[in-house]
Amino acid sequence: MTADTHGAGAADDTSAVAVIGMAGRFPGARSVTELWRNLLAGKESLTRLSTAELESEGVPAALHGDPDYVPVRGLLEAPCDFDAGLFGYSPKEAQLTDPQQRLLLESAWEALDDAGYGGTRTSTGVFVGTSFNSYLLHHIVNEPSARDDIDFLQLVLGNDKDHAATRIAYKLDLHGPAVTVQTACSTSLVAVHQACQALLGGDCDIALAGGASVQLPQRTGYLYSPNGIFSPDGHCRPFDQDAHGTVVGAGAALVVLKRADRALADGDTIHALIRGSAVNNDGARKAGYTAPSIQGQREVILSALRAARVDPSSIGYVEAHGTGTELGDGIEISALTEAYRQYTAETGFCGIGSVKANLGHLDAAAGVTGLIKAVLAVREGQVPPSINCTTPNPEIPWAETPFFVETHARTWEAAPRRAAVSAFGMGGTNAHVIVEQPPSWPVSDTPEKGGPAELVVVSAASRGAAHELSAAISQHLAEERGPRLSDAAFTLQMGRKHLRWRVAVAASDPVECSRRLSEAQPQEATRPPTVAFLFPGQGSQRAGMAKDLYAYCGAFSSALDECVQLLYKETALDLLPLLLEEGAAFDAVLRRTSAAQPALFAVEYALARQLEHWGVWPKVMLGHSIGEYTAACLSGAITLPDAMRLVTARGRIMEAAPSGAMLSVLAEQDSVAALLPADLSIAAVNAPEATVVAGPEGAVERFAVLLAERSIPAKRLRVSHAFHSAAMDAALPAFHRVASAVSYGKARTKVVSNLSGEPVQGFSADYLTEHLRQPVQFSRGVATVMRMPNPVFVEVGPGRTLSSFVLAQNRDGAVRTCSPMAANGSADAYETLLTTVGELWCSGVNVDWHSIRTGRRTALPPYPFQRGSYQLGSATPRLGGVVPEAAAPASTESDIASQLRELWRRLLGAVEVRPNDDFFALGGNSLLAVRLVALLGKNLGVTINLDDVLASPGFQGQLELVRRRRSSV
């Protein structure tokens, strides 16, 4: 019988789910990459604690000296450290939040970044769970200063499991279902199943699934019990003849999931496909509540196979639950064999192993950790060894099963590579998942669109983190097998959350981009800026000024084409060759006012449309002479056809006026006016000490000599006429007739006038006629814009002339300017434009990244969390034996135990719990009562008088906390 209906890598059906991102922290590994390296090396990442380490955690010598005490644990590095600032936590709030939930927050951030969906607005679901919250008991309850000022609701929100998923959704602004999953050690694999169902059912577009488990204090061991689940020697040996139990480990892991067809269509990085999954419960078909069930495991495996529609003979590896217990290992192999026998009689074709041998039992994080191992195996075509299995358990009839223990790493060449993952929770909730190698990405020979340069943007919540992340990405880009620059740029633009400390560089070569990124200094985007578009006037034009932008910018080329066509209808002049080709002949044509003014208008208009297409919208606009027409058109006051008609007529009429000259004088307007002869006019005031005069050629020459005699710097401008002077008087009637035939509307964006330096109250034929004649009050206009909050000036046109005027007026250096177009053709125009967009983004402008680039999301270095220590109080009880932190000299260990046992019996009624037979056993509410006993022992110096204890304020306060907790639930 066969159920296989899919070929390798098929992702075009709607039943498969893609794993597109992963993140985690594990014993001996700070990332998924380190975990994989350790697994391939067959590394056991468990720590055998020294006597000094145990004593530093307060484990009494009487306990860790017991021959049954095993000082081994799978440790997580600094589990209470946390980047509180990144997630908006106050130090107090961070201290009062379960570290498991903090770990999930950081892992969720990192996993979404890994998938390229950090900061996404897509509907994202969250399905996570945690283990028992020992932090509440060992740290918060044990810290008197914390108990005195803790609001009970705050305590619940930070420590109740119910908030594990919703806290992630809130802090990361995720809008899909947020569900906390709790099924003991199958928690995170059940979460994966629920996430898959939510995706396939349309509840969300992306889903986070996983779990976290940290039992505090970490640096303790446990008391071995022959009837328990823990190993007698601190080694977990799944499927070995000497398998006698597992070891406690800590960790947190999450995967990012998406429907496979959509992931493929969106160009996501797919690590593996989840072909099918299933969840069930044993019910009462087993020896006891904590016992495993062959029937339950068999049924969940069969359900997953049916959901995946694959033949189990195509599955080459099973990542087992594999706790390394005599009973559990045998039942697991029996259940798998019974399920597979319904499809195939083959034997010995499928490897089996368990990551618990390497890390210990990660409880709520165990299932997703096993899934990550399986995902990496099918992706990389390598199966890591299952360590600590010297001789497979002879009680299991291996030769009669489809399975063999993966005792050595092997290359996995079969296609399609498929693996299965099991997680069986104490209490009977079972989960099974089938994964498959990722589909092959189609290789396209089509060159990338958009131009040679790419804009790489990096951001972080602090300057230090921005430096670290920039350095990491810089190094990554410079690597020989680094990502494509276009993919890296797309991922950073679209797949990372944009924070306030920012770096942006543009380059066309990865190595050059790496260098620039390493040298860039982060800028702080403190508040949204007032973006002011500046449009330059005649004199800044040059032949070929639109060449690169026309080739690489779609919105620019479309707008420019529209302007060119309108001009051609008016004059039969084809502007396009002048704007796209360089050469002396073209420059000569553009020096003519009749060509220069419509050419400048067309380029400025097109460049503004490109910036707006990318999301850069001005709040105010200021033009210089002809540049004000561009502002008026973009504001909506004048339509584009009318604007082209006006600038064409203006250029033609002004060119017909008598010739003249213009002189730029580096002096204040009043000083220049005092020296000005009657035949010259003030034509423009560009800055406090930048005044332009205009008039007849001879008069301008004589005035230049006068200025030189007085050591006043002056420079002739390259113009053929005396614009904005008396020389234009004869042109005014003809222009007024043209301007009167145009309809004028209300400006939707504020335009600052050249006439007054204040916002234009309304455009009209009279206004534009006066505008042609009167001096350009550009400096006044700049002063008006500078009074607006946080202004950023963008010179939308060729050159940086207007930017220099702004900077000359910017006395305190607080105002920023940028120029999207180079002054000449020496620089890469598209790269210059991208650099400007990057500068604007660094200043706080919200860029529409969707419109800039399409590409593939790719893996990049993770966010460098700036963690601080947020551990509240100190712990006294220890896993495996809850005893006072220190004994009074006059007391013996047996005396203390006797007194505490008596107190334990007295406490039962108060806290409404049933003790286990062994006082030192842990679990659930029993641990709470034990914690109270231990706390009382510590507070009373260990020597306990029962009547005094029961009456003590500390004890009564603890009981009240318990009662409040129970009544709220």
Side-chain angles (χ1 to χ4, degrees), residues 566 629 638-648 741-744:
L566 289 170
Y629 285 75
I638 308 174
T639 66
L640 179 60
D642 280 345
M644 282 301 300
R645 192 174 298 116
L646 282 170
V647 297
T648 301
V742 169
S743 298
Y744 301 93

Side-chain angles (χ1 to χ4, degrees), residues 298-491:
R298 180 188 67 229
E299 289 172 5
V300 79
I301 294 165
L302 287 170
S303 295
L305 288 169
R306 285 192 294 268
R309 292 179 289 162
V310 300
D311 187 337
S313 64
S314 69
I315 296 175
Y317 176 71
V318 172
E319 175 60 23
H321 184 66
T323 54
T325 60
E326 299 95 321
L327 179 63
D329 286 356
I331 286 179
E332 185 163 6
I333 295 298
S334 296
L336 280 163
T337 301
E338 289 183 17
Y340 279 41
R341 280 291 172 260
Q342 297 194 27
Y343 294 88
T344 178
E346 292 184 54
T347 61
F349 65 85
C350 183
I352 195 165
S354 173
V355 74
K356 293 179 180 65
N358 306 85
L359 309 179
H361 195 334
L362 304 191
D363 195 57
V368 70
T369 302
L371 174 66
I372 288 173
K373 176 184 174 183
V375 164
L376 293 170
V378 298
R379 187 190 76 180
E380 300 297 322
Q382 292 180 284
V383 181
S386 189
I387 62 173
N388 298 338
C389 184
T390 305
T391 305
N393 189 344
E395 299 298 320
I396 299 175
W398 295 102
E400 300 172 13
T401 78
F403 309 103
F404 63 91
V405 183
E406 291 278 7
T407 55
H408 299 88
R410 67 177 168 95
T411 300
W412 192 354
E413 297 179 349
R417 294 187 295 273
R418 289 176 179 147
V421 186
S422 292
F424 307 130
M426 189 172 290
T429 298
N430 307 307
H432 195 72
V433 175
I434 310 295
V435 298
E436 180 179 290
Q437 70 184 80
S440 300
W441 180 257
V443 178
S444 174
D445 294 328
T446 305
E448 290 186 84
K449 297 180 180 180
E454 301 290 345
L455 180 60
V456 171
V457 296
V458 178
S459 71
S462 66
R463 181 192 292 272
H467 268 299
E468 284 187 47
L469 188 55
S470 295
I473 293 175
S474 170
Q475 182 178 355
H476 190 57
L477 291 174
E479 292 173 358
E480 186 176 349
R481 300 187 65 181
R484 296 173 66 203
L485 185 58
S486 58
D487 290 342
F490 175 77
T491 302

Side-chain angles (χ1 to χ4, degrees), residues 112 120 200 259 301 370 426 449 482 507 629 655 691 768 781 844 969:
L112 286 172
T120 180
L200 297 175
R259 270 182 46 172
I301 294 165
M426 189 172 290
K449 297 180 180 180
Y629 285 75
E655 185 177 289
T691 306
L768 293 179
V969 174

Side-chain angles (χ1 to χ4, degrees), residues 455 457 493-494 498 614 837 841 847-853:
L455 180 60
V457 296
Q493 292 167 8
M494 295 290 296
H498 294 170
W614 285 346
V837 173
W841 175 76
V847 177
D848 181 5
W849 300 110
H850 291 271
S851 62
I852 287 186
R853 169 72 63 198

